[in-house]
Amino acid sequence: MSKTNIDEINRNIYDIKNKDEYEFKIKKGLTPEIIEEISKQKNDPDWMKEFRLKALEVYNKLELPTWGPDLSELNMDEISTYVKPQSKLNNSWEEVPEDIKNTFDKLGIPEAEKTSLAGVGAQYDSEVVYHSMKEDLIKQGVIYTDMETAVREYPELVKEHFMKCVPIHDHKFVALHGAVWSGGSFVYVPKNVHVDIPLQSYFRLNSPESGQFEHTLIIVEEGASLHFIEGCSAPKYNKVNLHAGCVELYVKDNAYLRYSTIENWSKNMLNLNTKKAICGKNAQIDWVSGSFGSKISMLYPMSILNGEGAKTEFTGISFAGAGQNLDNGFKVVHNAPNTSSVVNAKSISKNGGKCTYRSLVKINENAKGSKSSVSCESLMLDDKSISDTIPTSDIRTDDVEFSHEAKIGKISDKTIFYLMSRGLSEEDAKAMIVRGFAYPISKELPIEYAVEMNNLINLELEGSIG
Amino acid sequence: MVLGKSTTANAILNNPEYIKTKGTINFEEEDITNMKTDEISRKGIFMSFQLPEEIPGVTVTNFLKYAKNKVTGKPVKIFEFKEELTKYMSELNINSKNMERSLNVGFSGGEKKKNEILQMLILNPKLAILDETDSGLDVDAIKTVSKGIEMFKNENNAILIITHNTKILNSLKVDYVHVLINGKIVKTGNQELAKEIEENGYAVYK
């Protein structure tokens, strides 16, 4: 019987490499001098410069994680942590330099902005090159800007929240982020304002042997709501690139935030990202996450439910091909009565790819009447691929409802035969099964992202029979 | 009438789980013995399954549209398709809500079989092989399935009904009845033969 080889994800669009041109690229490595130089280049206020240097000290003291994927190939002496593109921050695409604009055009960002977004931010290497938001939101007091502008123009808001949700002592890569962070987005939604159309920030890393360390800080005030979308990608190089972003989300009482991510880093990327949300009374944070790229990913968004009745939902999918080790998951801490969490995680692995679902559900003693339900499902497309589930639960009260369900599956020959008897080729059949498996996640994404995700899952016909 | 389970049907469709040691299968003067299943499907052969597979996340409507496109090689005209679908669904007493459910997921035995008949009607093959489509169905469901088969039947197509019991033949007019035992056709007749078997059983042929 002939076996079918399913090709890698078609990455043509993502692999557009522009020339490594920049206005300034910091020399490789991490020293106090390098940090001071970055700070100078960025015109930091003094408090931020001090903060960076302190974070570097913490970074040097902390050890690499002793669990999860092997990170020994990461050598910070080989990474430039700051690459300033040849562009200032613009609020019109016409002013963005041609090759950078072309890249975002091909990624469909300006088009999506016209049709389905209320605001867009676009970062190229270490700096944001484009930011814009609809007029009516500005009038309602919504702030959506790059992080640097926020540090300058809203210092009180930034000081109160910046790296308070994710403190620099959390782990080594958070400390690194604190030292070299650059770019990212700042969003402030005032009390009772509903942003009905999503805002989107797109992060593109073009420069080889470099890192991207964008910082996203979102504050949704009481009774307000927002849908924020984050997209990221990079072309493939032979040497390691590093992404250690940080996302801090404050969802105040009765507020709602939906945070969607489509991550499609290239296969030389180490994606060591940290995301955390703090929820007030009856607030809700929903995460939707698609993780396709990167060589190694360690990504565990976390919801801290501090207010009574707070809720969180996590819906995520990982897709690992040859050479990829995606160690993803979700963490939730129930810190107040009647809080609830729902997790629906899926993974697909093929060609020897490895997907791990690693999670934590912590329900503290005071969180009486809380509910948590976790479901994870993995699909392996061949015998070489690996799927693992490592759930941890720490439940300190009896008055809870908790359930965990895990399923691991393969595509059966019977199912393929059934679909082939309806005219589908073997590749079409597998692609349909995989798309169907991913559907509960893709239906949660904005339509253009659902389409993009289906394209990513598109299993190619070429090079089939072996 | 055929006894011999699904081997014949699966061999025609070239199910890789079945190994053919000798002989050839011709369809419209073309040797299809070793064609891939999807090619055979595109030649116009359809098989309804005893146990249709479940495909989570793919709605019946989307599946039918996709399969029709693959079988015909032409883009599906949405309006025409919808009209056709609505007509067949009402004939087969299929709840329109089922169309937005995942294919066969959580369907009862009867719903799955009716869905197979719906697929046959939509894909409109030249030869439909119905593999024990009537097994496990109650009288009403058998009537509905028979109605679907009657609707499908015309001058230009052929239907091969595989069954152990003659109930479905009471409500269908068939041209030939073949008795297959241990891989050989031991008797061929017309509808009368079905009646004989109903009265006397298969013992006489063994």
Side-chain angles (χ1 to χ4, degrees):
Chain A
M1 188 191 146
S2 54
K3 281 273 175 227
T4 302
N5 160 44
I6 302 170
D7 242 2
E8 292 300 308
I9 285 165
N10 181 353
R11 293 194 44 93
N12 296 344
I13 313 162
Y14 307 99
D15 271 337
I16 311 156
K17 253 178 241 183
N18 287 341
K19 248 173 104 182
D20 183 26
E21 288 176 331
Y22 42 79
E23 195 174 297
F24 174 81
K25 186 170 183 171
I26 196 94
K27 65 177 184 187
K28 293 171 179 177
L30 274 178
T31 62
E33 293 70 42
I34 285 174
I35 301 302
E36 280 186 37
E37 180 60 30
I38 292 175
S39 198
K40 194 176 133 201
Q41 286 286 333
K42 296 186 68 66
N43 275 325
D44 275 344
D46 284 346
W47 72 271
M48 188 54 83
K49 187 175 95 180
E50 296 309 316
F51 182 90
R52 289 181 188 277
L53 289 166
K54 171 123 190 298
L56 180 67
E57 275 174 37
V58 174
Y59 170 80
N60 285 326
K61 280 184 205 147
L62 290 172
E63 298 294 325
L64 283 172
T66 52
W67 46 272
D70 178 12
L71 297 173
S72 57
E73 68 186 293
L74 175 64
N75 179 358
M76 286 309 295
D77 295 337
E78 293 296 322
I79 301 258
S80 287
T81 53
Y82 181 70
V83 185
K84 189 180 196 173
Q86 288 176 323
S87 171
K88 58 177 180 40
L89 173 61
N90 303 287
N91 54 20
S92 133
W93 283 109
E94 271 63 54
E95 292 160 30
V96 176
E98 188 94 20
D99 58 337
I100 299 180
K101 180 182 175 289
N102 280 343
T103 306
F104 286 111
D105 264 340
K106 284 178 184 142
L107 293 164
I109 310 300
E111 189 53 38
E113 180 180 10
K114 275 180 234 155
T115 55
S116 53
L117 298 167
V120 160
Q123 177 162 342
Y124 192 80
D125 290 332
S126 295
E127 296 288 351
V128 177
V129 296
Y130 175 83
H131 235 289
S132 171
M133 187 174 58
K134 286 204 157 74
E135 199 64 38
D136 61 318
L137 291 177
I138 299 172
K139 279 185 193 141
Q140 292 179 76
V142 176
I143 303 167
Y144 177 39
T145 181
D146 63 302
M147 210 47 225
E148 284 73 7
T149 303
V151 169
R152 251 188 347 263
E153 292 179 15
Y154 312 99
E156 295 316 311
L157 268 177
V158 173
K159 272 187 202 166
E160 190 188 333
H161 297 93
F162 183 80
M163 298 205 80
K164 293 290 195 302
C165 175
V166 181
I168 51 175
H169 294 89
D170 256 17
H171 59 80
K172 194 170 179 70
F173 294 100
V174 165
L176 172 66
H177 174 91
V180 300
W181 77 269
S182 182
S185 291
F186 175 78
V187 186
Y188 180 82
V189 186
K191 212 169 160 175
N192 297 327
V193 171
H194 299 280
V195 181
D196 298 324
I197 308 171
L199 303 178
Q200 179 187 358
S201 288
Y202 201 97
F203 303 103
R204 175 77 180 173
L205 182 57
N206 181 67
S207 189
E209 297 184 278
S210 63
Q212 197 168 50
F213 307 93
E214 83 287 351
H215 194 94
T216 301
L217 174 55
I218 298 179
I219 302 161
V220 187
E221 286 288 3
E222 286 176 27
S225 68
L226 171 70
H227 181 186
F228 188 84
I229 304 167
E230 167 195 74
C232 13
S233 68
K236 183 167 168 102
Y237 295 105
N238 292 326
K239 295 205 175 156
V240 164
N241 273 20
L242 173 64
H243 175 239
C246 179
V247 174
E248 299 185 282
L249 311 174
Y250 295 85
V251 192
K252 304 283 171 81
D253 293 357
N254 302 305
Y256 176 78
L257 173 59
R258 186 179 180 85
Y259 195 90
S260 306
T261 307
I262 279 283
E263 172 272 302
N264 190 28
W265 295 118
S266 52
K267 307 272 168 69
N268 60 317
M269 181 69 89
L270 305 187
N271 183 32
L272 311 171
N273 214 7
T274 306
K275 300 181 178 184
K276 212 189 273 187
I278 296 179
C279 281
K281 210 170 152 186
N282 294 317
Q284 181 164 352
I285 168 76
D286 289 346
W287 306 89
V288 180
S289 169
S291 174
F292 297 91
S294 74
K295 182 174 189 187
I296 292 174
S297 170
M298 293 176 78
L299 177 59
Y300 323 98
M302 183 176 194
S303 296
I304 300 176
L305 307 177
N306 273 348
E308 181 163 3
K311 286 190 178 75
T312 186
E313 266 188 51
F314 174 83
T315 311
I317 190 159
S318 305
F319 191 142
Q324 287 184 279
N325 184 350
L326 306 184
D327 200 287
N328 294 337
F330 179 66
K331 295 190 280 186
V332 58
V333 180
H334 292 254
N335 259 339
N338 305 315
T339 48
S340 85
S341 58
V342 176
V343 176
N344 182 7
K346 295 200 175 214
S347 74
I348 301 163
S349 40
K350 63 179 263 278
N351 265 345
K354 181 175 182 184
C355 281
T356 302
Y357 175 74
R358 196 185 293 274
S359 70
L360 169 72
V361 175
K362 184 171 179 183
I363 304 184
N364 280 325
E365 208 183 333
N366 63 339
K368 307 229 183 293
S370 292
K371 289 179 194 167
S372 174
S373 119
V374 179
S375 150
C376 40
E377 223 181 314
S378 15
L379 186 64
M380 283 180 288
L381 300 189
D382 53 53
D383 298 334
K384 297 183 285 181
S385 301
I386 303 171
S387 170
D388 208 349
T389 304
I390 309 174
T392 308
S393 45
D394 176 357
I395 297 170
R396 303 182 178 199
T397 167
D398 288 333
D399 184 13
V400 288
E401 277 176 46
F402 174 71
S403 68
H404 181 101
E405 205 186 323
K407 265 199 278 187
I408 291 183
K410 282 186 182 176
I411 295 181
S412 87
D413 291 341
K414 281 194 173 63
T415 310
I416 290 174
F417 174 64
Y418 182 65
L419 295 177
M420 286 178 77
S421 79
R422 298 326 187 224
L424 279 71
S425 69
E426 189 170 347
E427 292 76 12
D428 287 341
K430 286 187 176 171
M432 175 178 270
I433 294 164
V434 172
R435 278 200 307 270
F437 177 81
Y439 176 71
I441 317 290
S442 59
K443 80 174 166 46
E444 296 300 321
L445 292 168
I447 183 78
E448 18 0 301
Y449 275 82
V451 170
E452 181 177 336
M453 185 162 132
N454 276 341
N455 289 338
L456 288 174
I457 291 172
N458 194 16
L459 309 171
E460 293 183 0
L461 293 153
E462 292 152 28
S464 46
I465 309 311
Chain B
M1 187 174 309
V2 177
L3 269 180
K5 303 207 172 172
S6 320
T7 308
T8 310
N10 278 286
I12 294 171
L13 268 295
N14 199 13
N15 184 340
E17 283 181 45
Y18 293 74
I19 294 158
K20 284 173 270 194
T21 51
K22 58 182 180 183
T24 53
I25 300 168
N26 292 312
F27 180 66
E28 296 193 314
E29 291 166 21
E30 191 175 3
D31 182 351
I32 61 161
T33 317
N34 296 311
M35 266 186 195
K36 286 191 165 187
T37 304
D38 55 319
E39 279 175 72
I40 296 168
S41 159
R42 287 194 290 271
K43 295 282 172 198
I45 302 182
F46 174 91
M47 165 181 164
S48 92
F49 283 53
Q50 280 191 55
L51 299 169
E53 293 287 318
E54 301 185 355
I55 317 287
V58 179
T59 65
V60 175
T61 308
N62 285 343
F63 172 73
L64 287 171
K65 233 184 282 171
Y66 195 78
K68 192 173 174 74
N69 167 259
K70 291 294 164 185
V71 167
T72 60
K74 287 182 212 144
V76 174
K77 289 184 185 131
I78 300 298
F79 187 72
E80 237 169 65
F81 173 79
K82 281 259 157 81
E83 245 181 354
E84 211 185 354
L85 194 59
T86 313
K87 184 180 97 193
Y88 293 144
M89 271 162 41
S90 87
E91 294 285 347
L92 295 171
N93 291 323
I94 295 176
N95 189 328
S96 61
K97 278 185 195 146
N98 272 11
M99 292 297 107
E100 296 315 310
R101 283 168 69 184
S102 291
L103 182 62
N104 293 324
V105 177
F107 283 27
S108 69
E111 283 174 323
K112 282 184 182 170
K113 295 289 170 67
K114 282 202 268 184
N115 196 271
E116 294 289 289
I117 298 299
L118 177 66
Q119 290 181 34
M120 173 185 77
L121 288 163
I122 292 286
L123 299 180
N124 195 22
K126 293 176 190 161
L127 168 63
I129 304 169
L130 307 183
D131 186 13
E132 297 194 24
T133 298
D134 53 338
S135 68
L137 295 188
D138 62 28
V139 185
D140 291 346
I142 288 182
K143 265 192 200 146
T144 310
V145 164
S146 305
K147 198 166 138 196
I149 296 170
E150 281 296 348
M151 209 178 357
F152 170 69
K153 206 174 134 187
N154 65 37
E155 295 282 294
N156 305 314
N157 61 27
I159 307 168
L160 179 62
I161 299 167
I162 301 174
T163 181
H164 313 278
N165 73 56
T166 49
K167 235 185 264 167
I168 192 163
L169 302 180
N170 295 335
S171 46
L172 277 178
K173 230 179 98 33
V174 297
D175 301 316
Y176 299 99
V177 173
H178 305 283
V179 181
L180 182 99
I181 291 183
N182 294 332
K184 287 208 171 81
I185 293 178
V186 295
K187 175 104 182 173
T188 295
N190 56 19
Q191 193 116 19
E192 289 301 311
L193 179 56
K195 282 192 187 131
E196 261 177 63
I197 293 167
E198 201 173 355
E199 281 159 24
N200 307 324
Y202 295 105
V204 58
Y205 305 105
K206 283 182 183 165

